[in-house]
Amino acid sequence: SILAADADSFTHETVPIPPDDGPNGPCARSDRSPDHLVVGARAQTDDHPTARTGPVRLTELDLGRFVAALCVVAFHYTAIGPLTRIGSIPLGPIAAVTRYGHLGVDFFFILSGYVIMRSTDGRAASEFLRARVIRLFPVYWFCVVVTGAIQTASGGVQPLQVLANLTMVHDLLGFEHLDGSYWSLVVEVRFYVLVALALRFGRRFRAEQLMSGWLAFGAARIVFEVPQALDDLLAGRYLHYFVAGAVFHRISKDRTVSPDRLSLLTGSWVLALIQSWARADSMVSYFGITSSPIVTCVIVTVFFGVFAVMARSGLPRLRLRVFARLGAASYPLYLLHQEIGYRIFDAWTGPPALMVATVALMMILTALLVASRVEPAIRTRLEQHWPAWSRQASHGGNPQLTRAHAPA
């Protein structure tokens, strides 16, 4: 999930990056004709104020990311938790709202498309993949080890399953998720692979052409039966969100809504509504809860509206550093909260509201600690030990560029 997107990538021409992000923060790039950029082409920055004033950050999107993560936590703790693990906790009135919290992942996918489109500017496929690995895996490895250790100690899983989950492609190896939240990371990885392939082999195409083809597959899979392996590879159930996010980013670069972009956004929105309506109907069979297809579609439409306003005219400026820290904590919060939270509920008997609030606060504080202390330490070691040949290949063998260019 863009949970899988890195915390330093929410950039735009509005809010300076906090000083503690240091030289590794990304520099915003822009050009005058993004519709004519080939995939991965380096954007021009000489005429853009960001090129002179330094990197900037959209902390309002950090806040949105954290709120979306909290929605997912609320969904797991108060909507499906009572039906699966927590027992007969009387949370019906709360669940009437939080049953829609799973849509926070949909928000993450749109945000992921936005961030990843931005991070491809001027990058080779190997450089792009290196940046993704360095951003995603430090926190992920830590959370897998912690979750796996707790489950292994209680006899819930075998060590081999923990090791397989460290790869983030454990489903391809035939292993189940240690934590149910990992499913969205698998979708993210497929998206990254597709982007890397486009950077490597699709440079003669415009980005809009590639997105149109991907979106056409999304429409075709609804009408025709496609092989499951192909559907999984192309992230068929969620590709419209990635496409929408990518288009919103391109609009944000020059505030221009061309016919091609409008068509892509309209197609993405329609596919999102179709999928959301069907998913709302399946909530009964999958989770045992009912949800309104109309409400589900309205919430998804609001997501599109928020990004449309942000891309076209900008969101209200929220210049609080705490939002950046909360945004960084959303990724470990998402990874840690579900399985560990359920095990705490299993071992603790108390007032339902107090249980949920206490465990949620514990997870938030833990996520803040992981984001501020654990992730930087692991990430630094990973950067230091990244194969030298890979770093040089990313920059045409120029070691100076390798040292100067940090992953976004």
Side-chain angles (χ1 to χ4, degrees):
S1 86
I2 182 48
L3 260 311
D6 57 90
D8 291 342
S9 292
F10 304 115
T11 58
H12 209 277
E13 300 85 21
T14 52
V15 183
I17 289 182
D20 58 335
D21 277 7
N24 289 342
C27 293
R29 301 182 177 99
S30 179
D31 73 292
R32 294 189 180 276
S33 304
D35 269 340
H36 299 285
L37 281 178
V38 295
V39 176
R42 185 171 297 279
Q44 301 298 317
T45 59
D46 294 339
D47 59 347
H48 197 281
T50 307
R52 297 187 297 271
T53 59
V56 290
R57 185 187 192 106
L58 276 175
T59 52
E60 52 266 38
L61 283 186
D62 279 314
L63 176 63
R65 187 161 68 123
F66 181 71
V67 171
L70 285 183
C71 290
V72 176
V73 173
F75 173 71
H76 287 147
Y77 284 3
T78 66
I80 65 172
L83 297 172
T84 58
R85 299 292 294 276
I86 302 178
S88 57
I89 294 180
L91 295 175
I94 298 177
V97 176
T98 59
R99 69 185 60 188
Y100 298 101
H102 65 94
L103 294 173
V105 178
D106 299 49
F107 180 89
F108 295 143
F109 286 153
I110 300 176
L111 189 53
S112 183
Y114 184 97
V115 171
I116 297 306
M117 174 57 75
R118 179 204 158 276
S119 69
T120 60
D121 285 347
R123 279 185 167 158
S126 58
E127 185 184 3
F128 167 77
L129 289 176
R130 173 182 178 268
R132 293 300 93 203
V133 170
I134 290 177
R135 282 298 186 186
L136 302 184
F137 275 90
V139 170
Y140 178 74
W141 283 334
F142 176 81
C143 294
V144 168
V145 169
V146 171
T147 303
I150 293 174
Q151 294 193 59
T152 302
S154 62
V157 300
Q158 298 298 318
L160 186 59
Q161 183 179 348
V162 179
L163 293 175
N165 271 254
L166 289 172
T167 67
M168 208 182 284
V169 292
H170 46 276
D171 63 323
L172 299 178
L173 304 176
F175 290 91
E176 295 183 356
H177 306 302
L178 281 179
D179 189 293
S181 297
Y182 294 177
W183 73 268
S184 63
L185 299 184
V186 175
V187 178
E188 289 276 349
V189 168
R190 289 166 180 157
F191 175 47
Y192 298 158
V193 170
L194 292 174
V195 171
L197 290 174
L199 290 173
R200 179 64 180 86
F201 302 106
R203 290 184 176 275
R204 63 181 178 275
F205 300 102
R206 288 191 302 144
E208 280 75 8
Q209 292 175 316
L210 295 176
M211 288 189 285
S212 296
W214 198 19
L215 201 62
F217 172 80
R221 65 178 296 277
I222 297 177
V223 180
F224 306 102
E225 184 176 354
V226 300
Q228 187 63 46
L230 180 62
D231 194 36
D232 290 341
L233 176 64
L234 297 180
R237 293 177 60 188
Y238 305 99
L239 62 84
H240 42 276
Y241 290 127
F242 295 117
V243 170
V247 175
F248 282 132
H249 166 72
R250 296 179 76 78
I251 292 174
S252 72
K253 295 177 69 173
D254 62 358
R255 300 290 196 265
T256 300
V257 183
S258 66
D260 286 348
R261 293 173 177 178
L262 184 59
S263 297
L264 285 169
L265 287 177
T266 301
S268 298
W269 176 64
V270 170
L271 287 181
L273 295 185
I274 294 174
Q275 294 284 2
S276 298
W277 190 283
R279 186 166 38 159
D281 288 338
S282 68
M283 293 294 284
V284 175
S285 59
Y286 196 74
F287 289 117
I289 61 176
T290 58
S291 59
S292 167
I294 295 177
V295 173
T296 300
C297 290
V298 168
I299 294 174
V300 169
T301 300
V302 169
F303 292 162
F304 275 75
V306 168
F307 277 91
V309 172
M310 182 269 299
R312 191 67 179 87
S313 56
L315 294 173
R317 298 180 180 181
L318 306 173
R319 305 188 181 193
L320 296 179
R321 181 182 296 184
V322 65
F323 292 159
R325 301 192 184 282
L326 291 176
S330 61
Y331 185 31
L333 174 63
Y334 180 81
L335 294 176
L336 288 172
H337 79 277
Q338 186 175 353
E339 189 62 34
I340 295 176
Y342 283 170
R343 289 179 181 269
I344 296 175
F345 289 137
D346 288 342
W348 182 18
T349 301
L354 178 62
M355 289 173 58
V356 171
T358 301
V359 174
L361 180 59
M362 288 171 53
M363 292 300 166
I364 292 172
L365 294 177
T366 301
L368 287 168
L369 180 63
V370 172
S372 62
R373 295 291 184 265
V374 178
E375 190 272 345
I378 301 176
R379 178 181 169 188
T380 298
R381 288 186 174 273
L382 182 59
E383 288 178 316
Q384 291 173 346
H385 293 86
W386 191 269
W389 63 265
S390 177
R391 293 196 299 269
Q392 293 180 14
S394 298
H395 299 280
N398 189 331
Q400 290 288 4
L401 286 177
T402 299
R403 288 191 295 269
H405 193 97

